[in-house]
């Protein structure tokens, strides 16, 4: 069975600094997708970034980028130039290609300090 | 563009009362639909998913049920609520695109008293 682990329950970062959130996963399959979602205090889940397992190039969306290490089964999220609006819970998620069920991590609560 | 609606936004119900939460998606056809529950400060628990009208897969709940009467409508129900049913309920959809992206509705905060 697939699992997703986020080992950092809480983190904080100073405004304008860079922070990296960790995510590891376990699967014996080779075709899958990985995601990072942001859940601000409003609790609306927002898709931040997507990574296809077959792509070696790391995904980037503006200030958000990932470090995808397939062999190590690691998928970390880097937030550059942190802003107060980045304060949120961040969830890592995984889905096997051809299936319907997403596996979510337990989340990392990030607080950006002014 | 696609949008997803959930209602009500907030609900306070007594123990033993029925429940009906509704989710609708606009701007897409034949989406995969999902119901999740999130306890305060916790992760997401998948409750149900549906790949088509009348097709429901149940993951966990014994006290909840789901139905999909129309292509873009997904309903979460209970005949008798328990205190443990309190939580934040999120509906989500995934289209038939290549990239498996899942999008969430604004959620319903349910408090069972």
């Amino acid at each position: 069975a697939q699992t997703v682990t986020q080992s950092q329950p809480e983190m904080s970062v100073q405004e304008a600094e860079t922070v990296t959130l960790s995510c590891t996963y376990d699967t014996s399959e080779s075709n899958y997708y990985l995601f990072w979602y942001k859940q601000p205090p409003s609790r609306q889940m927002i898709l931040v970034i997507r990574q296809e397992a077959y792509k070696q190039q790391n995904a980037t969306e503006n200030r958000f980028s990932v470090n995808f290490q397939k062999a190590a089964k690691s998928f970390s999220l880097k937030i550059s130039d942190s802003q107060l609006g980045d304060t949120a819970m961040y969830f890592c998620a995984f889905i096997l290609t051809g299936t319907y069920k997403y596996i979510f991590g337990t989340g990392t609560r990030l607080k950006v300090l002014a | 563009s696609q949008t997803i609606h959930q209602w009500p936004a907030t609900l306070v119900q007594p123990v033993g009362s029925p429940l009906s939460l509704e989710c609708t998606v606009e701007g897409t056809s034949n989406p995969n639909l999902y119901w999740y529950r999130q306890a305060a400060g916790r992760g997401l628990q998948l409750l149900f998913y549906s790949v088509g009208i009348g097709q429901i897969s149940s993951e966990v709940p014994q006290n909840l049920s789901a139905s999909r009467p129309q292509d873009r409508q997904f309903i979460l129900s209970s005949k008798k609520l328990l205190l443990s049913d309190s939580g934040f309920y999120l509906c989500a959809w995934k289209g038939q695109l290549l990239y498996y992206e899942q999008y969430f509705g604004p959620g319903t905060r349910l408090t069972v008293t």
Side-chain angles (χ1 to χ4, degrees):
Chain A
Q2 290 74 35
T3 60
V4 175
T5 301
Q6 294 181 248
S7 58
Q8 305 152 314
E10 294 186 3
M11 295 187 71
S12 62
V13 62
Q14 289 294 135
E15 197 174 9
E17 297 294 310
T18 295
V19 63
T20 298
L21 309 183
S22 300
C23 173
T24 58
Y25 58 95
D26 189 24
T27 182
S28 58
E29 304 292 331
S30 58
N31 297 317
Y32 49 87
Y33 289 80
L34 293 159
F35 306 89
W36 279 98
Y37 282 88
K38 169 185 177 181
Q39 188 179 39
S42 67
R43 304 191 78 174
Q44 169 84 56
M45 291 281 285
I46 302 165
L47 177 62
V48 174
I49 201 164
R50 176 196 78 237
Q51 176 75 46
E52 296 92 321
Y54 62 84
K55 286 189 175 180
Q56 291 187 341
Q57 185 175 4
N58 290 323
T60 299
E61 289 287 342
N62 300 312
R63 298 183 294 107
F64 298 88
S65 61
V66 299
N67 183 6
F68 173 49
Q69 301 290 328
K70 191 171 184 179
K73 298 179 183 176
S74 171
F75 182 60
S76 59
L77 175 70
K78 185 173 82 171
I79 306 174
S80 304
D81 186 25
S82 296
Q83 300 175 0
L84 295 178
D86 296 332
T87 293
M89 280 286 284
Y90 287 82
F91 292 96
C92 179
F94 166 100
I95 185 170
L96 287 174
T97 305
T99 67
Y100 302 102
K101 185 176 175 181
Y102 293 80
I103 310 298
F104 283 83
T106 52
T108 295
R109 186 178 302 280
L110 176 67
K111 187 169 186 178
V112 180
L113 307 172
Chain B
S1 64
Q2 300 87 3
T3 56
I4 179 169
H5 304 279
Q6 280 187 250
W7 64 89
T10 305
L11 192 59
V12 180
Q13 293 282 95
V15 168
S17 63
L19 173 73
S20 181
L21 303 181
E22 189 165 340
C23 170
T24 59
V25 182
E26 296 178 355
T28 187
S29 59
N30 196 27
N32 295 330
L33 296 172
Y34 302 79
W35 278 112
Y36 292 90
R37 178 169 60 199
Q38 186 180 30
R42 306 292 293 275
L44 284 88
Q45 177 188 30
L46 177 63
L47 301 175
F48 301 94
Y49 67 92
S50 171
V51 300
I53 296 174
Q55 301 178 62
I56 309 294
S57 295
S58 174
E59 286 294 309
V60 175
Q62 299 170 347
N63 188 47
L64 299 172
S65 62
S67 62
R68 185 170 176 174
Q70 300 180 45
D71 181 44
R72 289 169 288 178
Q73 184 184 32
F74 205 23
I75 297 172
L76 182 69
S77 304
S78 175
K79 293 182 179 179
K80 289 186 177 181
L81 283 169
L82 307 173
L83 286 174
S84 58
D85 292 324
S86 292
F88 190 64
Y89 289 81
L90 286 157
C91 180
W93 72 275
K94 168 191 162 300
Q96 301 301 328
L97 301 176
L98 296 175
Y99 300 121
Y100 287 76
E101 294 178 355
Q102 186 178 61
Y103 297 95
F104 287 81
T108 295
R109 188 183 309 274
L110 172 66
T111 303
V112 182
T113 61

